[in-house]
Every structure is written in structure tokens, then in C-alpha cells.
Amino acid sequence: MPLAVAVSLAVCAASLAALVVTRRQIPRRSLASQVLQLRRIAFLAGLPPDKLRQIAKVVRELRVPADVYILREQHIGESMYLIISGQLHILKRGTIDQTLVQTVGPGDLIGEMALLNETRRIASARAVTPCVLLQIDRDDFFDLLGQQAELAEAVWSACELHSIELTAADHVHTRRLSVV
């Protein structure tokens, strides 16, 4: 096996191991604590406390070290993530290397588009700094949307804004490449 392939496989295995180990180290927070975290997310802040409690019951807190991939472009989306702290780079594959499309941080949402559209991920997300994320799995996400009209409306609005931001960032990058 060529050295570059072996190194790449080792890095991927280490990233996955770090994420798996990290998930096991986090004890479940109190419901009240998770409601407070959710209230800090702009598009959820207007939801009533009982709706936030419903969401808090299904989220799982993840602590992710820097340089770990949370999402991989073209992979099937099984979860979405709310960013509580830290920064992530949203990256797209290019012909030679990955391209930074956007930097996201506290209050942002990632991974929702693949769940809503039932498509593969359109970009990768890598932790730039240590991050705290709240993970919502596909089934829980759709259950919540079915139960909470306010949440469905808030998520759709956030997704539209997110989609516009990603498209604009991708467009700016493409224009820069065509000028060079």
C-alpha cells in the first residue's frame, strides 16, 4: 500500500476513533441545562419552553476535538447538528484539494439539508477548534417536525437562510477562481 494512502487511512481512523471516544465521555446533561443551550440558538430562541424541552429530550451532546470531520461530502445524512461552541469549516471537494466555503460557529446549524432533502451531503464539515454540538438523529428530527409546527417553520427558515449563505459563499469562491 502506498505511503500516502496508508497515512490517509490512519488519519481517517484516528478522526473516527476520537469522535467515538468523545461521544462516550459525555454524561447526559440535565434537561434544564439543554433547554438553556437550545435557547441560545437564534432560530430556536422564540420557541416556547415546552417545545424546547421536547427538543432537549432527543438531542445528544457531543464534544469534538479540533481536526475531526463531523460531516463528509457525499455521505448519507443520518443526523444534523446545532453548534453550541467552537468553529467548523464547511468544505467542498475541488479537482485538487478541498475548498473552504464557509466558517460556522455557535448558533449555526449543519447537516440539516441532507435530512430534509433526503440526499447525500453537499459539503464536509471539519472542527477547526474543539466544539460542543447537539446532535439530532433523522427519526427524532422528523418526529419533532411532525409534532411542532413552530419548529418546522423555524427549521425551514434557518435552512433557507443557510442555503442562501452557502450558495453565496460558493458563488464568491467560484468568481475568485475565474478571475485568477
Side-chain angles (χ1 to χ4, degrees):
M1 177 181 313
L3 181 59
V5 172
V7 169
S8 180
L9 288 174
V11 168
C12 287
S15 291
L16 181 59
L19 188 56
V20 170
V21 168
T22 302
R23 285 183 182 182
R24 291 185 184 146
Q25 294 172 347
I26 306 299
R28 181 111 172 121
R29 283 185 180 256
S30 73
L31 196 59
S33 173
Q34 286 192 315
V35 166
L36 286 174
Q37 286 181 318
L38 291 169
R39 188 167 301 286
R40 289 188 212 129
I41 307 238
F43 78 94
L44 297 176
L47 293 177
D50 62 318
K51 302 297 184 187
L52 291 173
R53 276 192 295 280
Q54 284 181 314
I55 299 168
K57 288 178 184 176
V58 300
V59 298
R60 179 176 36 202
E61 183 177 301
L62 302 177
R63 293 186 185 267
V64 180
D67 295 324
V68 171
Y69 279 85
I70 309 306
L71 309 174
R72 289 286 188 169
E73 187 174 353
Q74 294 301 315
H75 286 197
I76 302 292
E78 295 297 330
S79 299
M80 59 176 266
Y81 303 87
L82 303 166
I83 304 169
I84 300 302
S85 67
Q87 289 192 327
L88 294 103
H89 280 168
I90 305 301
L91 306 159
K92 290 194 67 111
R93 283 190 209 144
T95 53
I96 298 173
D97 204 356
Q98 289 189 326
T99 301
L100 174 63
V101 176
Q102 186 178 28
T103 300
V104 293
D108 287 324
L109 172 68
I110 61 170
E112 78 289 353
M113 290 167 29
L115 292 185
L116 289 170
N117 298 325
E118 297 187 43
T119 59
R120 295 184 180 273
R121 303 247 185 238
I122 61 169
S124 296
R126 182 178 55 84
V128 179
T129 63
C131 296
V132 176
L133 310 173
L134 296 180
Q135 177 183 18
I136 303 175
D137 292 328
R138 175 190 297 277
D139 292 340
D140 292 329
F141 178 62
F142 282 111
D143 287 346
L144 285 169
L145 290 183
Q147 297 167 9
Q148 297 188 30
E150 300 101 330
L151 176 62
E153 185 176 321
V155 167
W156 279 112
S157 294
C159 289
E160 286 175 345
L161 181 60
H162 192 193
S163 181
I164 290 166
E165 289 170 346
L166 280 174
T167 302
D170 202 22
H171 179 70
V172 166
H173 175 74
T174 304
R175 285 193 64 170
R176 255 184 291 166
L177 288 177
S178 64
V179 172
V180 172

